[in-house]
Amino acid sequence: MQQLVHCEAIGEVELSIGVNDLILQPSLRYLQAGEKHSHVQHIIIQRPFREHSIPELPFGPHMLGMELNTIQQSNEFLKAAIGKPLQTFGLVSARLDEEGMELLSVVLKNPQLKSIKLWLLSFPDPSCMAHMLSLMADLDELQELHLSDLGSQPEEIIHFRRLMEKHKLYKLRLWRSQLSQEICDAMAVNLQLNTLEIRFIPATAEVIGCLAGALTECTSLRKLTLRGWRGEDTE
């Protein structure tokens, strides 16, 4: 694994640890992920830590991409992400306590972020989604957003629309979210939207009507994926 450090063709490594948590820290050290002399600057960690908390993660200061998929608390991962020049960041299935939300808030203030994935998170407070959207709406370089559980609370809609009105987002993936008329109207104002994927949304007549109306305004849209609608996939 140490040889990957000097392999210029590999910049991203995905570690599927499973139940063998003990190999994660040594793997990161061998890869020297995020160190100036290492070409490994993007790390995806899949499903570690079944029973115990996440250990301290030895990432170097030059990480460009970090993603974690875990069912545990993710505070150590979030601490490791702070202060890095990240362009991509992802957090999937994690349980967030109040400290975790504070740490995530710091990560989402990184002005260099271009791609964010926040899926299936467990929040300590119902207002957390609106807070995250408000931070992401302040990012000037954000081009891709992968988001689940977007609701229809007024504050969520306000900040989601702010994000769309920047006309910077070209890829949007919504999973298990509420496609209200306000959300669809917000998507319609983004004239740069090129790729839209919507998963696991109840395909009611109202939802289909709202989405169809929005799509007529998305003149830059080149790829639409509807997945999990009535048990069928459509592209």
Side-chain angles (χ1 to χ4, degrees):
M1 187 175 288
Q2 284 180 303
Q3 295 176 342
L4 292 177
V5 173
H6 306 293
C7 183
E8 297 184 13
I10 299 178
E12 178 179 300
V13 174
E14 180 173 332
L15 299 173
S16 297
I17 304 300
V19 298
N20 191 0
D21 305 341
L22 298 178
I23 70 171
L24 178 59
Q25 286 179 312
S27 297
L28 292 175
R29 291 194 178 96
Y30 283 136
L31 292 169
Q32 299 178 47
E35 297 296 342
K36 188 175 182 179
H37 58 275
S38 174
H39 291 282
V40 180
Q41 306 292 338
H42 297 256
I43 289 286
I44 300 172
I45 304 172
Q46 293 283 4
R47 291 287 179 184
F49 322 115
R50 283 206 324 177
E51 302 295 340
H52 28 302
S53 60
I54 296 177
E56 182 179 350
L57 299 173
F59 290 111
H62 299 282
M63 291 297 297
L64 298 178
M66 294 173 60
E67 180 177 328
L68 174 67
N69 183 334
T70 181
I71 59 174
Q72 303 296 335
Q73 290 185 354
S74 53
N75 293 5
E76 291 300 326
F77 177 80
L78 293 168
K79 290 176 184 177
I82 292 174
K84 306 294 192 298
L86 297 178
Q87 296 179 8
T88 65
F89 174 80
L91 190 60
V92 179
S93 300
R95 296 201 306 263
L96 292 167
D97 55 15
E98 291 185 4
E99 180 188 9
M101 273 306 305
E102 291 178 3
L103 294 169
L104 179 58
S105 297
V106 177
V107 173
L108 294 180
K109 291 177 182 178
N110 182 344
Q112 300 177 75
L113 283 171
K114 295 182 178 180
S115 176
I116 296 175
K117 178 192 289 186
L118 299 173
W119 278 8
L120 304 176
L121 303 180
S122 176
F123 299 120
D125 187 274
S127 65
C128 290
M129 175 61 75
H131 176 63
M132 291 193 309
L133 286 167
S134 71
L135 297 175
M136 292 187 287
D138 290 334
L139 298 175
D140 291 328
E141 301 300 322
L142 189 62
Q143 299 173 1
E144 294 186 24
L145 177 60
H146 312 259
L147 187 66
S148 74
D149 302 293
L150 175 63
S152 57
Q153 296 299 315
E155 288 298 314
E156 295 179 34
I157 294 170
I158 288 171
H159 297 303
F160 182 74
R161 188 177 183 91
R162 283 179 55 220
L163 182 58
M164 294 296 107
E165 287 175 341
K166 286 199 166 185
H167 303 293
K168 293 288 185 72
L169 208 69
Y170 74 85
K171 185 173 184 178
L172 175 64
R173 299 173 71 193
L174 294 178
W175 189 358
R176 208 176 64 179
S177 298
Q178 296 184 30
L179 281 191
S180 64
Q181 182 67 60
E182 292 81 5
I183 293 296
C184 291
D185 288 347
M187 287 193 294
V189 304
N190 184 357
L191 301 180
Q192 299 300 318
L193 192 61
N194 176 274
T195 302
L196 176 62
E197 180 176 325
I198 301 176
R199 298 186 180 193
F200 305 113
I201 306 292
T204 65
E206 180 181 1
V207 167
I208 293 173
C210 292
L211 181 60
L215 293 178
T216 60
E217 303 295 327
C218 297
T219 55
S220 296
L221 193 66
R222 296 296 178 265
K223 182 177 181 180
L224 172 66
T225 302
L226 307 178
R227 185 159 293 164
W229 288 44
R230 296 180 179 172
E232 297 180 356
D233 293 351
T234 304
E235 291 198 27

